[in-house]
Amino acid sequence: MALADFENNDLKLIIFGGKGGVGKTSCAIATALALAENFKTLLISTDPAHSVSDCLDQQIGFKVVKVNNTARLWAIEVVADEALSEFKTEHKSELKKLLETSTNLDNTDIDEMLALSIPGIDEVMSFKTIIDFIEEGEYEKYVVDTAPTGHALRLISSPKLLDEWIKVAARMRWKYRYMITSFAGSYRQDEVDTFLLSLKKTVKRIENLLKDSTKCEFIPVCIPETMAISETSRLLSDLGKSEIVPRQIIVNNVMVSEDCSFCRSRKAGQEKYLLQISEIFSTLNKVEVPVFAEEIHGLKSLDQLKDCLFKTE
Ligand SMILES: Nc1ncnc2c1ncn2[C@@H]1O[C@H](COP(=O)(O)OP(=O)(O)O)[C@@H](O)[C@H]1O
Ligand SMILES: [Mg+2]
């Protein structure tokens, strides 16, 4: 079978996830190359390991660049720290005012507080970067390569985390509003309220996008090995909690050749795992990709992988 239904114009966001080393980056790039044949496509890597640059053999980094020798493919590797400092610079006055008006912190304390690292912030910033791109709407398709499973799940649940922070901030502001209203008789919405409201709207938009299977698709990548199967099962059940239901799965590194005794023994060893995959993931369209003789590196082998993923016979 081949990866299907990507031509649908409504489908904007395609996210690849799975265990480390199963082929997420290779499959994400190959899919982006296929989409770029018909659509203006942006490949976004949220993996701090930045393997997109290595796989494409082209330095990408935290700035959109055109992928060499492609007609319509651009790529960016998100650096969460940089995304966070851009966010803090852009919203410095709102963040400072939020803390000034709802805590007893002085200026030095506020600066220290703003410099603190916050758990989960990397994924929130990565996701916000993706959403900002989608909202700017310069591309027709957005393909996301993630770091191993835990990261992808944190990425998916980042809107919830952001929503919790907004609620805490809003609660802190209520006291301030109450005070102002008691002293001044009325309260006028300020830039902090506008900022929190706009963040809240962003969270809603992310949640709606993730749950909408016509606009967003999550593709798990698995290999016929026991640990990868267990991790993929957990991934699917955790995705289900966020109401994300994948339609298809890539089963990578399948041994096809029977030309040598090593190949035959590898192939025989994979049989039971392929059977398990068929049973456990019976509802998903399965796309099998053979193990290549060499690693996937550079456009030529990525093109071969693209053909495996999208061949329709
Ligand atoms: N079908 C395949 N045949 C041969 N090598 C593969 C295949 N798929 C992936 N690889 C290689 O396996 C390694 C891990 O792949 P990668 O796409 O980086 O995985 P992940 O992003 O899941 O960590 C890379 O060296 C890649 O070239
Ligand atoms: Mg990778």
Side-chain angles (χ1 to χ4, degrees):
M1 284 243 222
L3 284 176
D5 293 338
F6 284 175
E7 303 299 300
N8 161 16
N9 280 330
D10 288 337
L11 184 67
K12 287 272 164 262
L13 177 61
I14 300 142
I15 306 172
F16 286 81
K19 192 176 175 299
V22 295
K24 296 177 296 297
T25 301
S26 314
C27 291
I29 304 176
T31 302
L33 284 168
L35 288 169
E37 287 168 8
N38 296 311
F39 302 96
K40 191 175 176 191
T41 302
L42 180 64
L43 170 68
I44 307 169
S45 165
T46 60
D47 182 356
H50 297 325
S51 35
V52 165
S53 286
D54 296 339
C55 190
L56 279 170
D57 210 7
Q58 177 186 342
Q59 190 49 43
I60 306 291
F62 191 31
K63 194 165 193 285
V64 174
V65 291
K66 180 84 184 295
V67 176
N68 295 336
N69 303 311
T70 66
R72 279 179 288 261
L73 181 60
W74 282 259
I76 181 168
E77 290 172 327
V78 179
V79 180
D81 282 354
E82 283 183 35
L84 177 60
S85 40
E86 278 177 14
F87 179 80
K88 280 181 183 168
T89 311
E90 196 181 331
H91 298 290
K92 194 167 185 169
S93 79
E94 293 98 318
L95 290 167
K96 276 196 137 178
K97 187 159 181 186
L98 167 68
L99 293 172
E100 270 164 19
T101 54
S102 47
T103 66
N104 293 325
L105 299 176
D106 63 25
N107 254 335
T108 325
D109 291 340
I110 288 176
D111 286 339
E112 274 177 22
M113 183 131 180
L114 287 177
L116 282 180
S117 77
I118 307 168
I121 190 77
D122 282 7
E123 284 79 11
V124 170
M125 281 301 129
S126 297
F127 216 114
K128 195 168 174 309
T129 309
I130 299 170
I131 293 301
D132 288 347
F133 276 120
I134 297 179
E135 298 199 328
E136 278 166 28
E138 205 178 306
Y139 303 86
E140 291 165 285
K141 305 279 179 191
Y142 301 83
V143 177
V144 176
D145 174 34
T146 63
T149 309
H151 164 94
L153 285 171
R154 283 196 299 278
L155 194 72
I156 297 293
S157 54
S158 63
K160 265 197 201 99
L161 187 59
L162 187 53
D163 199 34
E164 278 162 25
W165 296 340
I166 297 168
K167 277 187 190 139
V168 172
R171 222 173 294 138
M172 283 157 61
R173 292 284 291 176
W174 284 337
K175 291 180 191 156
Y176 169 73
R177 281 170 87 141
Y178 178 75
M179 252 168 49
I180 297 283
T181 316
S182 335
F183 286 118
S186 67
Y187 175 82
R188 277 183 58 190
Q189 191 169 306
D190 64 12
E191 79 244 45
V192 179
D193 299 309
T194 316
F195 169 66
L196 291 177
L197 208 65
S198 104
L199 271 186
K200 180 86 194 165
K201 282 184 185 156
T202 306
V203 168
K204 265 273 143 298
R205 281 199 295 269
I206 302 179
E207 280 177 343
N208 291 342
L209 175 70
L210 284 174
K211 281 183 208 161
D212 187 342
S213 59
T214 58
K215 292 195 181 130
C216 170
E217 169 151 9
F218 190 102
I219 303 190
V221 184
C222 185
I223 53 175
E225 288 179 13
T226 186
M227 278 161 73
I229 297 174
S230 315
E231 193 161 321
T232 311
S233 305
R234 285 196 295 273
L235 171 65
L236 290 181
S237 99
D238 285 347
L239 285 174
K241 289 178 200 152
S242 300
E243 296 175 55
I244 296 166
V245 185
R247 290 185 298 127
Q248 31 200 356
I249 182 170
I250 295 172
V251 185
N252 190 19
N253 281 358
V254 176
M255 183 57 88
V256 182
S257 166
E258 294 188 330
D259 289 351
C260 63
S261 65
F262 170 79
C263 301
R264 285 190 292 277
S265 132
R266 216 36 225 278
K267 190 166 188 256
Q270 285 187 346
E271 259 164 37
K272 71 169 180 188
Y273 297 122
L274 289 170
L275 214 68
Q276 269 183 23
I277 289 174
S278 293
E279 281 164 10
I280 301 174
F281 310 119
S282 61
T283 55
L284 305 182
N285 171 29
K286 268 171 290 304
V287 183
E288 287 192 6
V289 175
V291 63
F292 288 23
E294 286 173 16
E295 64 171 345
I296 295 165
H297 183 247
L299 280 185
K300 196 159 167 256
S301 53
L302 284 161
D303 263 337
Q304 268 175 285
L305 176 59
K306 181 193 79 182
D307 291 342
C308 295
L309 290 172
F310 290 89
K311 68 177 181 293
T312 44
E313 87 282 7

